[in-house]
Structure formats: C-alpha cells, structure tokens
Amino acid sequence: MEWTILGAGALGCVMTGLLRQRGESVALMLSERHRGHFHPSLELITLTGAHQLIQSRPRFPEHARTVECLLVFTKAYQVVDALKELRHLPASTPIILLHNGLGVAEKVQALFPNNPLLAGVSSHGAIKERDWLVRHTGKGETWLGPLNDAAKTWSHLVKPLEKALGHAEWSDDIALHQRRKLAINAVINPLTACNNITNGQLLEPRFADVLEQLSEEVYQVMSRLDGDKAETQDAFRRRLQQVIELTSSNHSSMHQDLAHGRPTENEYISGYILANAGNQPVPVCSQLYQEIERKSGTAKPAQRMQH
C-alpha cells in the first residue's frame, strides 16, 4: 500500500522520511505552487544528526482517485480547504487526521461521509529548517483510532507505523487521546507564543502563577469532557511538567506560527477550551486567546469564542 501525505510541513516530511526508511511507499500531495517545478529530494536530519536524502512520489489533486491511504498533516485551519481539492478521493480510502487541536473532524465527516475517518495523535518532534530540509528532534508515542464506524476495521495500519515510528498503538477511544494532547497544547502553546519563550522557560518562577491558573482552567474544562475517564489533576500536572521538560529547548508550533507571521491554530486549541467551558470561568485562557488573535491580526469579538 502507498501512503499519501497531505501537508509537507515539518512533521509531515519527517513522517515521510521515517516511513521511507522502512521501505514503505510514500507519495507527497503537493500544492499548486510546486507544479511545474522539479520535485527535489527531501533531506532528513535524523536524531543522530545524520543527513539522509528521501525520495517520494509527487502527487497533485487530480491524482486523488489513486490515493490508497491519506495522512493529513496540514494545520487545523487548512484541513477542510485542502481536502476539498481532493473531490475524486475514493470512498474506500481512509483519511487519517493528524493535526493539533479539535473541531475539524466533524467538517471532514460532512465532506466525506462514506470514507473511513481516523485520528492520529503523535508526540514526535520535528522542525522545518528550510524547504525540503527537516530535522527529527524527538521520538514519541503515536496513537491511531476510529472516528466513525467505517474506520474500525483499519487497525492493521498500526503495524507498519510501529515499525517506522518505534511506537504506534490502536485505541478505540482516540478522542480521549486527542483531548489529552489538546489539554497540554492549551497550556504550553498560548503561554509560549504570547511571551516569546521556549517551552522550558515556562518553568521559571515568573510564570509559576499563570501556569498554575491556566492549568487549573484547562483541567476543569477537559476533565468534564472526559467524564469517568478523566485523569486526576495531579496526573495532569505531572504529564504537563514532563512534556515541558522533554521539549524544554523547543518552540511551540503556535510560537513559531506567530513569529513567522503565519495563521495560528488558536481557534482549535484555546478556542476549543472556550467553546466548551460552559459556566466554568476561564479568564486566563480567554485573555491568552484574545492576545494571540490580536498579535496575529485576526481579533474577533468576544462572543465569537462561544460557538
């Protein structure tokens, strides 16, 4: 089977490299700006610092009918528009969403009601140093699971992913993994983006109070959504501390997007917390949401958040 990767950003390119290293067939679905240009080899800097040239097949939207398995690594706000281009995608082709944040899957399901729809959650680290040069900065866990009934028979995709990534597991409750990743992102991303710092700097004493309050807000909202599967507050704090320490020298994706003048996934991370807060007060989360919107030049009225 050939894997087709939509979204040639840092993680999408690193995943391309890791799959190719294990002999998997991989195609990159490219955007219009690459049409007519020579498709260069992808250069992957491995965890050991070695440089490897990675070959993949270039694909464009008109090739959608040949796609056997689609891995979507675009930003959350790009997913729907990117998939609209693939209107000839066979109804039997699984679509695997691997973006940050939540709130997109429902729109994809409406676009492709018959396709197996899956979600992936990965904690691999990746940095795009320049076009077609990416660095793998850290190994992590990868979880895959179904978002609709048609996807429940696709657990066999885990085996080749496990060989390529070092860890991959199937979860029938992938939404739980998505929410737990979002809870971490909803603390780290806006704080590092607004303060222009690395993840590790969040552990400095000056951020202790705001880190504590934001963690409390996020935990209260997400634990209510998790119901009887909610982790304890202490477990959440330990997990948050561990992620900050493991990624201490990294800049969060939201920090990078803001620093480079790109749109952010604010609406799908902090915006998701605000939309699901109900009567729970979330003043810090709300303030950070508005600040990110202001910094990115997309400020919205306050009521926009409660969708």
Side-chain angles (χ1 to χ4, degrees):
M1 185 191 73
E2 182 177 75
W3 306 82
T4 298
I5 290 184
L6 175 63
L11 190 56
C13 286
V14 164
M15 290 291 181
T16 299
L18 295 176
L19 286 164
R20 286 295 296 129
Q21 284 176 338
R22 285 293 178 170
E24 295 289 324
S25 178
V26 185
L28 270 179
M29 184 66 69
L30 299 172
S31 60
E32 284 299 314
R33 66 190 177 92
H34 297 115
R35 193 184 292 276
H37 295 166
F38 171 69
H39 176 58
S41 298
L42 168 67
E43 190 173 353
L44 173 68
I45 306 173
T46 68
L47 291 173
T48 62
H51 288 243
Q52 295 186 353
L53 287 179
I54 304 295
Q55 301 290 341
S56 64
R57 295 178 177 84
R59 293 281 188 269
F60 291 95
E62 64 266 23
H63 300 126
R65 57 174 52 89
T66 68
V67 173
E68 298 175 81
C69 180
L70 186 67
L71 299 171
V72 184
F73 284 97
T74 64
K75 296 285 189 178
Y77 55 81
Q78 297 171 322
V79 170
V80 171
D81 286 343
L83 287 175
K84 281 180 179 176
E85 297 291 313
L86 308 183
R87 56 188 177 276
H88 298 305
L89 195 70
S92 58
T93 299
I95 301 170
I96 307 174
L97 303 178
L98 286 133
H99 56 79
N100 283 328
L102 286 167
V104 177
E106 297 81 2
K107 299 173 185 176
V108 175
Q109 183 72 77
L111 271 179
F112 295 93
N114 300 313
N115 287 71
L117 184 61
L118 298 88
V121 175
S122 182
S123 55
H124 279 260
I127 295 174
K128 190 171 186 177
E129 303 215 336
R130 64 172 185 267
D131 281 352
W132 310 114
L133 175 63
V134 294
R135 182 185 296 272
H136 189 198
T137 59
K139 291 183 74 171
E141 294 184 349
T142 299
W143 292 85
L144 209 63
L147 292 176
N148 62 8
D149 287 341
K152 291 178 179 178
T153 59
W154 286 86
S155 60
H156 59 278
L157 293 176
V158 164
K159 285 187 179 180
L161 287 175
E162 183 181 17
K163 288 179 182 177
L165 307 180
H167 171 277
E169 284 188 59
W170 182 263
S171 172
D172 288 321
D173 190 1
I174 193 64
L176 180 66
H177 292 276
Q178 287 183 294
R179 289 194 298 271
R180 289 195 173 173
K181 183 178 182 181
L182 182 137
I184 298 293
N185 284 341
V187 176
I188 294 175
N189 276 265
L191 278 178
T192 55
C194 281
N195 292 285
N196 192 25
I197 57 173
T198 63
N199 292 358
Q201 287 176 274
L202 288 174
L203 299 180
E204 294 175 4
R206 61 187 171 129
F207 294 112
D209 288 345
V210 70
L211 186 65
E212 172 69 21
Q213 189 172 346
L214 181 59
S215 300
E216 170 76 16
E217 291 177 11
V218 169
Y219 174 78
Q220 293 301 333
V221 173
M222 297 308 286
S223 63
R224 183 168 49 80
L225 293 177
D226 288 345
D228 57 5
K229 295 182 179 179
E231 61 188 334
T232 66
Q233 191 159 8
D234 283 344
F236 171 61
R237 284 175 175 156
R238 285 195 300 271
R239 198 161 57 86
L240 177 63
Q241 176 94 7
Q242 183 182 40
V243 171
I244 293 173
E245 290 174 353
L246 287 173
T247 63
S248 61
S249 61
N250 293 7
H251 286 103
S252 71
S253 59
M254 191 176 289
H255 173 281
Q256 289 295 89
D257 287 339
L258 207 58
H260 291 94
R262 299 188 294 254
T264 73
E265 294 173 301
N266 193 30
E267 190 68 35
Y268 301 93
I269 298 176
S270 297
Y272 185 85
I273 300 293
L274 295 169
N276 288 279
N279 295 323
Q280 172 73 35
V282 284
V284 176
C285 186
S286 181
Q287 183 180 350
L288 288 167
Y289 173 92
Q290 290 290 354
E291 182 65 9
I292 296 293
E293 294 295 285
R294 186 188 67 78
K295 284 178 178 288
S296 60
T298 55
K300 301 179 179 71
Q303 63 267 26
R304 171 67 182 89
M305 298 181 298
Q306 302 294 340
H307 41 245

